[in-house]
Amino acid sequence: MLRGFGMLLPYLGGVDALLLLVIAIVLDACVGDSPWLARLLPTPATLVARLTARLDRRLNRIDRSDAARRARGALVSLCLLLGALSLGLVLAFAFREVRWGAVPELLLLARALSIRSAWTGMGQTLKALESGGVEAGREAVSPLTDRQTWSLDIHGVLRAAIEGGMLRLACGLAAPLFWYAVLGLPGLLGWAAIDGMAQVIGHDVPRFRQFGGVVRQLRRLAGWPPMLLATLALLLAALFVPGSKALGGWRELATARRHPWGPLALPVAAAAGALDLAMAGPRREGEQVVKEPWLGRGRARATSRDLRAAMALYGVAGLLLVGLTVSAGLIAAGLGL
C-alpha cells in the first residue's frame, strides 16, 4: 500500500495527490448526498450500474441456457472491468499532462467516495420511524438496502439500516480509499465497476445466479483487503463509542466464516458483535424464505438506541479510515517510496 501511495504523490497541476484525497473527502462529507449533485454528476458506480442493467435486459433472458447466460455474464463483467481499468489508466496519464488536471481528478475522486449518503440514510430512517412509524421507516431505509422492505417490522427496518450503513462504510469508503491508494485512478474506477455491477447482477438469486457469477467472484477477490480494513476501523471505533464492545465485535467475526456474503460479512459481523446484535439471518423475500446464517449472536430485536450507536460507530470508523489512509501517504512520502 505504501508503494502505491508513492506512485500517487507526484504533483498534479501543483496539487499533491494526498491533498486531493483530503479535499475530496471533505467535499463528499459536505455535499455528497445532494440530489442536484447526483443528477448533475452521477457516481462512477451508478453509471456502471445503469449500463449493467441495460446489458442484463438484453443478454440475460430466461429463454437462454444456463451455459449461455453464464458465458454472457462473464463477458459483460470482464469487459466492463477491463474498460474501467483502461479508462483509469488513460485518465491518470492525461490528468498529469494537463496543467489543471487535478481539478477533474478531484471531482472524480469525490464522486467515487461515499461518506455522507449512508450517514444521512441512517439518520432519515431513525427520524422516519420516530415520526411516521414503520411504514415511513420502510420507505426511508430502502436506499440503504436491497431487501424487500414491505415485509419488515420495526426491528427489521433498524437492522437493515445498520447493515446498510456498515456495508456502505466498507464498499463506499474503505474500498475506494484502498484501491486508490494502491493503484490510483485505475484502482478507483476498477472498484467502481465491480461495485456498480454487483449492485445490479451480484445478488445470488435465480435470475442472476449464472449471469452474475463472475461479478460475485470479482467482488470477493477485490473486497478482501478493504473489508478487513473496514473491520479493523470498526473494532477500533468501538473503543470510543459508549455502549459498544470491541471485544464483542472481535468474537463475532467467527460468524462471518463461510457466510454467503463473503468478505462483506466481516464489517457487519464486527458491528453486530460490538452492539450485541444479530444481523443478516433468515428473512422473507416475496413468497420465498431466504435461509441465511446470522451475523452475530446477540439480539435480533434492534432498537432506535442501537441505530444511534451504529451511526456513532460509522462516524468514528470513517474518521479512522481517513486517518489511516492519510498517515500511510505521509509515511510513504517521508520514506520516499
Side-chain angles (χ1 to χ4, degrees):
M1 184 172 176
L2 295 181
R3 291 187 179 276
F5 252 117
M7 295 188 295
L8 295 176
L9 290 175
Y11 282 86
L12 305 173
V15 181
D16 190 271
L18 185 56
L19 181 58
L20 280 184
L21 184 61
V22 174
I23 297 173
I25 291 168
V26 173
L27 283 175
D28 181 76
C30 292
V31 297
D33 62 342
S34 301
W36 63 266
L37 184 60
R39 292 192 298 268
L40 181 66
L41 194 63
T43 67
T46 298
L47 294 174
V48 173
R50 291 174 183 173
L51 178 56
T52 304
R54 289 187 179 184
L55 293 171
D56 170 62
R57 287 192 296 268
R58 293 180 62 90
L59 301 175
N60 188 25
R61 297 176 181 171
I62 59 175
D63 58 340
R64 294 194 170 105
S65 67
D66 287 350
R69 296 167 76 182
R70 185 163 51 248
R72 287 167 181 261
L75 183 62
V76 166
S77 303
L78 294 176
C79 285
L80 289 181
L81 176 59
L82 291 175
L85 292 171
S86 300
L87 178 61
L89 192 60
V90 170
L91 291 178
F93 281 109
F95 292 161
R96 283 158 178 75
E97 296 297 324
V98 178
R99 182 176 181 182
W100 297 103
V103 175
E105 178 157 354
L106 173 63
L107 292 175
L108 184 58
L109 183 55
R111 294 306 290 146
L113 295 170
S114 178
I115 305 171
R116 185 181 174 91
S117 62
W119 172 272
T120 301
M122 288 188 286
Q124 289 176 343
T125 301
L126 185 61
K127 183 178 179 180
L129 284 171
E130 292 177 344
S131 62
V134 68
E135 288 294 338
R138 289 169 181 167
E139 183 177 354
V141 80
S142 58
L144 278 176
T145 182
D146 57 4
R147 293 189 178 191
Q148 295 183 2
T149 59
W150 64 268
S151 62
L152 295 177
D153 60 9
I154 187 171
H155 308 294
V157 170
L158 289 164
R159 289 200 310 273
I162 297 171
E163 292 168 12
M166 298 308 111
L167 290 174
R168 291 287 184 90
L169 176 75
C171 295
L173 180 58
L177 282 177
F178 177 85
W179 288 113
Y180 182 71
V182 173
L183 295 177
L185 283 179
L188 185 74
L189 293 185
W191 173 258
I194 293 173
D195 191 34
M197 289 187 290
Q199 291 175 23
V200 180
I201 62 174
H203 310 293
D204 190 12
V205 295
R207 174 172 174 78
F208 304 123
R209 190 153 293 144
Q210 304 300 329
F211 195 75
V214 170
V215 167
R216 289 192 294 276
Q217 292 303 317
L218 288 173
R219 185 167 61 173
R220 283 175 180 269
L221 291 173
W224 272 111
M227 297 311 119
L228 290 172
L229 189 62
T231 302
L232 174 62
L234 285 167
L235 293 176
L236 291 175
L239 297 172
F240 303 97
V241 175
S244 299
K245 301 176 182 178
L247 185 58
W250 172 260
R251 288 172 177 166
E252 296 306 325
L253 292 181
T255 62
R257 292 182 60 187
R258 298 185 179 88
H259 196 274
W261 289 8
L264 295 180
L266 288 170
V268 177
L275 300 174
D276 191 27
L277 292 174
M279 292 193 279
R283 62 185 183 275
R284 181 174 294 278
E285 296 283 356
E287 297 181 355
Q288 294 183 335
V289 175
V290 179
K291 296 181 179 180
E292 204 167 64
W294 290 100
L295 290 171
R297 287 164 287 196
R299 297 169 287 110
R301 299 174 70 85
T303 66
S304 297
R305 181 180 295 181
D306 294 320
L307 181 52
R308 290 191 179 92
M311 292 177 67
L313 271 179
Y314 179 94
V316 176
L319 290 174
L320 288 172
L321 283 170
V322 173
L324 287 171
T325 306
V326 173
S327 298
L330 292 175
I331 293 172
L335 295 178
L337 294 175

